[in-house]
Amino acid sequence: MAGAFEGKVAIVTGAASGLGRAMALSLAEAGARVVVADLDAQGGREVADLVDGDFRACDVSDLDANRALVEFTRDRHGGVDIALLNAGVATGCGVGEDFAPARYRRAMGANLDGVVFGTHAVLPALRARGGGSIVATASLAGLAAVPLDPLYAANKHAVVGLARSLGPALAPENVRFNAVCPGFAESRIIDPLRDMLSERGLPVIPAQAVADAVLRIVSGGGTGECWFVQPGREAEPFRFRNVPGPGEPVGV
């Protein structure tokens, strides 16, 4: 996709490592000017140097921090065309005896609030450009049951719901909103799971495979889509089938 995003300005959150790093590198290779956002200042600056871009420290769970990130980008580059709302963390607790309110709030703040706040903050900038593209990083956990981590599944299902709903809602403004839903992909989130994945013979998806899917989403024409990324399969939008609409009979 060399040159496909020439002249475009992109924000990538959670870009200091893993999926966000791969997204930032891929966007830069395709010609975009990239603002790297993360709480990891060292890693973020290293990625910014690699893409000849800018680094901005940002806690995505803070609305004002999201607004400041967008204003920084507009001041430096004149606008925003693409926002990859990728930052996320593992939950680290369940709803039983291991429930930890602080960990719960941290996960919901990064994984869900970060998408909502990021969208709210960037919309005026996209509208000023006549439209643009937002891609939120959800997870296969947003499409399937995850008994081992129901709270992570809950916030990722919420991101999927946002994508499906905001896609058509924002379409009249030429703003496309989609989500990417990778399985076990190379990132810090899977660090506690690596031994289990290895024992079960489950491959880890390269971060580049997820970045490639994201660039396909951004360059495509779809909106309200949730693309799955799984080993051995072509990334594509998940088909939500057989959901009964209002007034339709539901089988018993």
Side-chain angles (χ1 to χ4, degrees):
M1 284 192 175
F5 298 107
E6 196 70 41
K8 300 297 184 182
V9 178
I11 293 171
V12 185
T13 67
S17 64
L19 305 184
R21 180 182 188 276
M23 293 173 195
L25 292 174
S26 294
L27 280 169
E29 185 177 357
R33 290 171 288 173
V34 181
V35 174
V36 172
D38 207 296
L39 280 175
D40 177 359
Q42 179 177 344
R45 290 193 177 97
E46 289 173 357
V47 174
D49 288 343
L50 287 173
V51 301
D52 193 24
D54 300 287
F55 169 74
R56 176 79 181 189
C58 181
D59 177 356
V60 299
S61 68
D62 183 296
L63 177 56
D64 287 338
N66 283 275
R67 288 171 171 159
L69 169 63
V70 172
E71 286 308 305
F72 170 83
T73 305
R74 296 180 82 172
D75 288 344
R76 295 281 291 183
H77 300 290
V80 184
D81 303 287
I82 301 163
L84 305 186
L85 306 180
N86 166 76
V89 298
T91 306
C93 71
V95 298
E97 293 182 358
D98 63 338
F99 180 65
R103 290 185 177 183
Y104 168 73
R105 280 305 329 153
R106 176 175 179 265
M108 296 299 284
N111 299 351
L112 178 54
D113 294 348
V115 175
V116 174
F117 293 167
T119 300
H120 171 78
V122 81
L123 273 176
L126 298 180
R127 288 168 176 148
R129 297 283 249 201
S133 179
I134 302 171
V135 181
T137 299
S139 168
L140 206 67
L143 301 174
V146 187
L148 292 177
D149 198 343
L151 294 177
Y152 187 77
N155 54 56
K156 293 302 184 179
H157 270 74
V159 173
V160 165
L162 276 173
R164 297 184 69 195
S165 303
L166 283 176
L170 296 174
E173 301 179 79
N174 199 32
V175 175
R176 296 187 301 112
F177 191 109
N178 296 286
V180 65
C181 302
F184 295 112
E186 186 57 55
S187 67
R188 292 175 179 172
I189 286 179
I190 70 161
D191 284 346
L193 306 174
R194 291 184 188 275
D195 290 343
M196 180 272 289
L197 295 174
S198 178
E199 290 169 2
R200 297 186 182 184
L202 298 174
V204 175
I205 303 165
Q208 187 60 51
V210 181
D212 290 345
V214 168
L215 262 64
R216 285 179 59 196
I217 295 169
V218 174
S219 61
T223 192
E225 296 178 340
C226 301
W227 287 52
F228 67 82
V229 184
Q230 279 285 66
R233 299 189 62 175
E234 183 77 10
E236 62 177 320
F238 183 73
R239 307 300 177 188
F240 294 88
R241 298 183 176 92
N242 301 323
V243 178
E248 294 183 20
V250 180
V252 295

